Amino acid sequence: MATKLLVTLAICRLIVTVGFTFNPNDLLRLGLDGNLSAAPADLETVSVDFGGLYRAEPMAVLHPATAEDIARLVRAAYDSAHGFTVSARGHGHSINGQAMTINGVVVQMSGGSKKKLLTTKVSEKFMYADVWGGELWIDVLTSTLEYGLAPKSWTDYLYLTVGGTLSNAGISGQAFNHGPQISNVHELDVVTGKGELLTCSEKENSELFQAVLGGLGQFGIITRARIALEQAPQRVRWIRVLYSNFSSFTQDQEYLISLNGKPASQKFDYVEGFVIVDEGLINNWRSSFFSPRNPVKVSSLKAEGGVLYCLEITKNYHLSNADTVDQEIEILLKKLNYIPASVFTTDLPYVDFLDRVHKAELKLRSKSLWEVPHPWLNLFVPKSRIAEFDKGVFKGILGNKTSGPILIYPMNKNKWDERSSVVTPEEDVFYLVAFLRSALENGDETQTLEYLSNQNYEILKFCEDARINMKQYLPHYTNQREWNDHFGDKYWTRFQQRKLEFDPRHILATGQRIFMPSFNPNTASW
C-alpha cells in the first residue's frame, strides 16, 4: 500500500510538471516490479554526479527490478502525447551531467531491487558472462573469478557499471591488446527509445548493437551484456620507469603496443603512461610502490621543460610459470630507452592490481578530497601531433602544478570497430590524454574550479588553433553544431539516422545535450 501511494505521488508530480494526457492510474497499471520514487533523498542522489559541475533534479527515480520495468516506463513516455525524458544512471560517475534530466525520470541501474531477476551467469565452456547492465565491474570480476575467469578489457576504475562504460567505450592499458570494452561484447539486451526490449548482436539486430556500443545512451538502455572472458592470471608484476625525453617515451610506448599480436611471453599485458609536472607527484608516484627514504627531485633527472614521463607496464602470470617472468621482462626492458636508475617494481595479486584506483579513492575519501568538483578532460590525440601537443600543453599551458593524474598512452585503431558509435582520430595509432584533476579550495588559485576549467578551455583552444584533429572521449558539447564537428559529416549523418530509428522522439539521455526532445523542450536538461 505504501509503495502504491509513493508511486502515485511520483506520477502526480510528473503530470503537474510535464503534462501527461492519460490517467495517473495508467502508470500504476504498468505492473512495475521495482520502485518508482519521488522521495527527496532519491531525487537528491540522482541530481548530482562525480563531476560536481551540474545539477538537475528529475521528477522521479525508477529502481527497476527487471528489464521489463524499464521497457514499460520508456514505452509509456513514447506513447504519451506530451512525453517525458528518461535517463539511465549507473554509479553516477559522469562528469558533465550526462545521466541527468529535468522533469523526467532517471532509471537508477546500479544498487537496484533485490527482486532483480538477472544475476551474473558465467559460461565456462564458451568463456562469457551474462551480466545486468547496472552491475559494477568489480562485482563482475568477483563472479567470474569463481570460475578462474575474468573479462579481457578493463577501465582503470572498477566501480563503474557495465552499461555505463559500454555506452562510452571503456578503456585502460589493455586496450592496445584486446581493444576497448566495447570490442569485447558478444550480445546485448537493450530497451530502445520506443520501449522495445530487444536482443542484439553481430547477427541479430546488428545496427542497434553497433549503435548502442559507444552510443552515449542515445539509442537504448543496456539491460544485459554478454562479456568475453579469458583465463584470469594469478599475479601481476607491475613496473614503472621514467623518461626525461618525450620522444623516447612515445617511441617506446608505440613499440610496446606494436607487439599486440605476439605470443604472451613476448609482450606486456598492460601499457599506460602519465605526465609528471611537479615534484609532489613524482614522490607520490614512487610511494605507491614503497616508501622512499629520499625524495626524488625532478631537477636531478634533467627533465626537459621541467616535465617527466612515466611508463607503466605489467606482466601477468600464473604461479606455474613464475620462473620465466623475470627473463621475459628483462628481454623486453632491454629494448626501451628509459632513465636507467628509475626502475621501480612491485608484485601483487591480479585482483589488487585491477582494483588499485579504489584504494586511492579510500585514501582521498578519508581526507574529504573525493567528493569535490572534477573538471576532467579526456582527449584522443593522433600520433602525428602528440609531440606538438606535448610542447604546447605539457610544457606550455600546464605550468608546474596540477591537482591530479595526467594519463597518456597510445592505442591501436585496428582494435576498434568503426561500426560502433565512437569516433577516434583517423590514424593507425592515437593517444588518450586524460587530465583527471580535482578542484580544491585550499588557497591555491591553480587548483580552483575556475582556474582548471579555464585551463581546459585553453587546451581545447590550443588544439583548435593548431588544427590538431583530436576527439573528446566522454565528450561534452553544448550544441548540435559542436556535436556535428565532433562526429564529422559522415558519422554525424549515421548518428542522426540511428537516433531516428531507435529513439525518434528523443526521449533518452537528454543530459548529453545532443538532441532536443521532439515534445516540450522544457522537459530536457538543457
Side-chain angles (χ1 to χ4, degrees):
M1 184 65 183
T3 300
K4 181 174 285 190
L5 177 61
L6 190 59
V7 172
T8 302
L9 290 173
I11 295 168
C12 289
R13 190 176 184 196
L14 277 164
I15 291 168
V16 169
T17 308
V18 181
F20 286 131
T21 60
F22 52 82
N23 189 289
N25 288 325
D26 288 349
L27 276 189
L28 291 176
R29 287 194 289 266
L30 290 177
L32 299 176
D33 293 318
N35 175 30
L36 183 66
S37 171
D42 283 338
L43 298 180
E44 175 62 26
T45 297
V46 301
S47 296
V48 293
D49 61 17
F50 184 66
L53 308 176
Y54 293 84
R55 182 179 180 84
E57 184 176 308
M59 290 296 100
V61 181
L62 173 64
H63 299 276
T66 65
E68 188 59 36
D69 276 352
I70 302 170
R72 287 167 181 154
L73 176 73
V74 177
R75 200 176 304 130
Y78 180 71
D79 289 340
S80 66
H82 287 275
F84 59 96
T85 59
V86 178
S87 287
R89 183 182 192 270
H91 206 47
H93 270 258
S94 295
I95 305 301
N96 293 290
Q98 288 96 331
M100 296 181 193
T101 187
I102 296 174
N103 299 339
V105 179
V106 170
V107 180
Q108 182 60 65
M109 295 293 293
S110 65
S113 168
K114 298 299 181 183
K115 296 180 182 178
K116 186 180 69 183
L117 297 179
L118 181 62
T119 56
T120 298
K121 297 178 181 178
V122 177
S123 171
E124 292 182 84
K125 179 179 179 180
F126 296 106
M127 303 282 281
Y128 67 71
D130 281 328
V131 302
W132 173 248
E135 196 78 4
L136 299 181
W137 283 102
I138 183 65
D139 295 327
V140 175
L141 176 62
T142 300
S143 296
T144 58
L145 284 177
E146 293 180 9
Y147 301 85
L149 303 173
K152 295 179 178 180
S153 189
W154 293 99
T155 56
D156 286 334
Y157 182 61
L158 302 188
Y159 288 74
L160 304 171
T161 60
V162 170
T165 64
L166 295 183
S167 294
N168 288 284
I171 55 175
S172 185
Q174 301 90 356
F176 83 95
N177 198 26
H178 296 294
Q181 289 180 318
I182 58 173
S183 294
N184 294 274
V185 181
H186 296 312
E187 188 176 274
L188 299 171
D189 284 347
V190 174
V191 175
T192 71
K194 299 176 184 178
E196 303 166 310
L197 178 56
L198 301 174
T199 297
C200 56
S201 65
E202 286 273 8
K203 297 181 179 180
E204 182 179 8
N205 295 313
S206 59
E207 187 68 22
L208 176 62
F209 182 69
Q210 297 296 347
V212 169
L213 294 173
L216 306 175
Q218 293 300 304
F219 313 109
I221 297 173
I222 298 170
T223 61
R224 179 186 64 90
R226 179 165 289 178
I227 307 298
L229 304 178
E230 65 179 355
Q231 292 293 330
Q234 292 173 307
R235 297 193 65 82
V236 172
R237 190 68 55 82
W238 187 7
I239 305 159
R240 285 175 171 176
V241 295
L242 291 176
Y243 293 76
S244 59
N245 180 274
F246 186 72
S247 179
S248 297
F249 171 65
T250 54
Q251 285 176 14
D252 281 359
Q253 282 194 316
E254 290 163 18
Y255 165 70
L256 291 176
I257 72 167
S258 75
L259 304 176
N260 69 88
K262 298 286 186 180
S265 61
Q266 298 176 29
K267 63 184 177 182
F268 286 111
D269 296 288
Y270 162 100
V271 176
E272 283 198 13
F274 55 92
V275 181
I276 299 171
V277 297
D278 63 50
E279 291 177 0
L281 276 182
I282 190 174
N283 290 298
N284 181 59
W285 160 81
R286 196 179 179 198
S287 65
S288 66
F289 283 65
F290 55 87
S291 298
R293 295 182 179 179
N294 301 311
V296 179
K297 298 288 187 181
V298 172
S299 57
S300 69
L301 296 174
K302 300 179 181 179
E304 293 180 359
V307 179
L308 287 171
Y309 310 94
C310 169
L311 172 63
E312 186 173 56
I313 44 186
T314 70
K315 191 75 170 169
N316 299 338
Y317 68 97
H318 291 80
L319 295 179
S320 60
N321 69 329
D323 294 342
T324 65
V325 170
D326 289 339
Q327 182 180 3
E328 292 171 6
I329 291 174
E330 182 180 358
I331 292 172
L332 285 165
L333 289 181
K334 280 183 177 179
K335 298 182 179 180
L336 306 183
N337 295 301
Y338 53 85
I339 298 171
S342 70
V343 182
F344 298 96
T345 303
T346 190
D347 197 282
L348 70 171
Y350 182 61
V351 175
D352 289 357
F353 172 73
L354 291 180
D355 202 28
R356 63 199 180 279
V357 176
H358 182 56
K359 295 179 179 179
E361 172 194 347
L362 295 177
K363 290 181 181 179
L364 291 172
R365 284 188 183 278
S366 69
K367 300 176 183 179
S368 299
L369 295 176
W370 183 256
E371 294 182 355
V372 298
H374 296 94
W376 288 6
L377 180 64
N378 298 273
L379 307 175
F380 288 149
V381 180
K383 167 188 168 181
S384 64
R385 308 300 297 277
I386 197 65
E388 189 175 350
F389 190 93
D390 167 64
K391 184 177 180 181
V393 177
F394 301 148
K395 296 186 176 83
I397 293 172
L398 287 187
N400 64 353
K401 279 193 176 183
T402 187
S403 61
I406 302 170
L407 303 183
I408 173 172
Y409 57 91
M411 288 173 279
N412 297 310
K413 189 176 179 70
N414 63 8
K415 297 294 182 178
W416 294 65
D417 193 329
E418 291 194 354
R419 295 172 300 171
S420 78
S421 292
V422 180
V423 288
T424 59
E426 293 294 331
E427 293 191 9
D428 291 341
V429 172
F430 58 91
Y431 280 78
L432 170 75
V433 183
F435 301 88
L436 308 180
R437 282 95 64 83
S438 301
L440 307 174
E441 297 297 335
N442 59 3
D444 185 343
E445 181 189 359
T446 64
Q447 296 190 8
T448 63
L449 177 59
E450 180 181 9
Y451 183 91
L452 295 174
S453 297
N454 288 338
Q455 199 171 71
N456 285 346
Y457 172 79
E458 286 185 66
I459 294 168
L460 293 173
K461 188 68 166 59
F462 167 79
C463 291
E464 181 182 359
D465 291 345
R467 296 186 178 180
I468 297 176
N469 188 27
M470 62 77 188
K471 299 295 182 182
Q472 283 193 35
Y473 177 59
L474 311 177
H476 170 64
Y477 299 102
T478 58
N479 60 66
Q480 217 171 67
R481 180 191 62 78
E482 293 176 332
W483 282 108
N484 192 331
D485 290 343
H486 170 75
F487 285 101
D489 291 339
K490 175 183 175 182
Y491 294 112
W492 175 243
T493 298
R494 184 183 69 179
F495 202 80
Q496 286 181 306
Q497 290 172 343
R498 287 173 168 177
K499 187 69 170 179
L500 182 62
E501 181 175 357
F502 300 118
D503 183 24
R505 298 196 69 189
H506 303 174
I507 288 168
L508 301 175
T510 54
Q512 292 280 2
R513 302 189 177 196
I514 305 176
F515 297 101
M516 180 74 74
S518 62
F519 41 89
N520 183 356
N522 293 325
T523 64
S525 52
W526 291 68

